[in-house]
Amino acid sequence: MKADPRKPAPFVVPSTGRRDALIAIIAGLLILAFMAYGMMHMAAPVTGNKLTGTILEKTFTPQKERQVSFNGGHIEGTKEIAGEFLFKVRVEDQKRTYEVPVEQPVYESKKVGDQMTFLRPPSEQR
């Protein structure tokens, strides 16, 4: 029986030696270790961007609003918002007063004079 001339000859891969296999395993382990290191440091809490101060004033601006969440092509959920809830927080270390937007449950649970920990504004983050 003759081979079909239209069919290409099979490609034969030369066998690899122990040295090549060892190099491939070490390279794979290094890449895996690098990825694990990156994931561990991504999960670490942000340091230096948290500020703690005293609440000086609570401000509520009524702005009835409905927020709609989309996921793909369908509506995931809606949320009614009564308005904007703000705290004016004095941070003595920075000698500054920040306006911190908060959710309604936080707004209702804190009172003037309480301590508040919040993230530094994105424009000032280190």
Side-chain angles (χ1 to χ4, degrees), residues 28-41:
L29 288 175
L30 285 173
I31 291 170
L32 186 65
F34 179 71
M35 288 174 53
Y37 175 80
M39 283 188 255
M40 286 173 35
H41 285 281

Side-chain angles (χ1 to χ4, degrees), residues 10 17 49 83 87 91 93 102 104 110 112 119:
N49 286 330
F87 287 151
V91 179
D93 296 347
V102 295
Q104 186 174 0
K110 300 272 187 182
V112 174
L119 281 178

Side-chain angles (χ1 to χ4, degrees), residues 17-27:
R18 284 187 180 164
R19 180 176 177 266
D20 293 338
L22 187 61
I23 290 172
I25 290 171
I26 290 173

